[in-house]
Amino acid sequence: YGGFNRVDHDGKISKKIDINSYSMANGRIEGIGEDHAANVVFATADGLHIYASVNDKIIRISQIDGLPSDDLIYGFKKLADGRFALGTDNAITIVDIQKMLTPKKNSRLELCTIKIDGSFRSISGNTIELSEDETDLSLYFSTLSFTDKQKIFYRYKFKEDNHWNLLGNTPELSLNHIAPGNYDLIVQAGNHLGQWQSKALEFNVVAHPPFYK
């Protein structure tokens, strides 16, 4: 209950992975094992969790991803071929972790429309221009996919920034009170497993200053 520890050959704790420090949906661990890629796989009462030591992050796999149930407290076993057998209510589910973690063919991300100061506007190309008295911009986009919307996430940043800003599941970006200037904007889509598409939307936003500036 609460998580698990990794220990070295002498039995000393080298890493603590617990519910207080990581995004684990449930701390009750029914079974635990390591896959061929050295990921730690463990089953809980709220889905299957995978600890990836390469980026020190926990990924949760649930019914959204195809599991018949999130309640996996009825048994757990790593099979000889590297797959995992999970006990669910009146059933056994066998999962291939590597297939679940491999991103499916990416849907393309497209801009649907934009709104400037509350009015819809059409654009041609990747340049968006705001006149001297326009300061608010909203962009609406889509992955053109029938994938469950809960599985699609969006983020954006300005080209010179290192930090991404998360938008969650909402395919909309609103920028208000834009100061005069020239901005290179990048929008990216990804899935709930933290895998982001390499192809992103890129825009050049030009906010013209008033004549006295």
Side-chain angles (χ1 to χ4, degrees), residues 126-128 130 135 137 157-161 175-186 202-208:
N126 293 328
T127 299
I128 302 172
L130 279 64
T135 59
L137 171 66
K157 73 171 184 175
F158 295 100
K159 200 167 188 178
E160 65 274 10
D161 293 343
L175 303 171
N176 300 315
H177 310 295
I178 300 173
N182 197 310
Y183 306 92
D184 291 317
L185 182 66
I186 302 173
E202 297 190 24
F203 304 99
N204 177 233
V205 180
V206 180
H208 294 289

Side-chain angles (χ1 to χ4, degrees), residues 9-182:
H9 292 291
D10 297 323
K12 294 181 181 179
I13 295 175
S14 59
K15 185 73 176 177
K16 291 183 178 181
I17 294 91
D18 59 42
I19 199 167
N20 297 317
S21 304
Y22 292 86
S23 56
M24 297 166 56
N26 190 297
R28 177 184 173 181
I29 297 176
E30 169 64 22
I32 189 168
E34 197 170 55
D35 70 2
H36 294 333
N39 297 309
V40 179
V41 181
F42 56 101
T44 74
D46 279 305
L48 190 67
H49 292 68
I50 302 165
Y51 171 72
S53 56
V54 66
N55 58 7
D56 192 30
K57 186 177 180 180
I58 287 182
I59 297 167
R60 177 174 176 256
I61 295 175
S62 65
Q63 284 182 285
I64 294 177
D65 308 290
L67 290 180
S69 171
D70 288 344
D71 193 2
L72 306 177
I73 62 170
Y74 298 91
F76 179 96
K77 182 174 178 60
K78 181 181 177 180
L79 305 178
D81 61 4
R83 295 182 299 169
F84 290 86
L86 312 175
T88 55
D89 190 17
N90 294 319
I92 295 174
T93 301
I94 298 177
V95 298
D96 187 323
I97 297 299
Q98 290 308 306
K99 284 186 177 180
M100 298 195 82
L101 293 180
T102 301
K104 297 180 176 63
K105 186 177 181 181
N106 289 332
S107 304
R108 69 183 191 272
L109 181 63
E110 297 286 348
L111 178 69
C112 299
T113 187
I114 67 170
K115 188 187 288 186
I116 297 177
D117 281 13
S119 299
F120 286 104
R121 196 81 54 85
S122 60
I123 66 167
S124 58
N126 293 328
T127 299
I128 302 172
E129 293 195 54
L130 279 64
S131 66
E132 60 184 43
D133 57 347
E134 295 172 334
T135 59
D136 296 339
L137 171 66
S138 294
L139 295 89
Y140 302 87
F141 30 84
S142 171
T143 56
L144 305 180
S145 169
F146 292 105
T147 301
D148 189 328
K149 301 306 179 186
Q150 295 182 62
K151 288 185 174 184
I152 306 174
F153 287 81
Y154 304 90
R155 65 182 184 178
Y156 79 96
K157 73 171 184 175
F158 295 100
K159 200 167 188 178
E160 65 274 10
D161 293 343
N162 294 320
H163 174 71
W164 286 93
N165 304 287
L166 296 177
L167 295 170
N169 302 112
T170 305
E172 174 186 341
L173 169 59
S174 294
L175 303 171
N176 300 315
H177 310 295
I178 300 173
N182 197 310

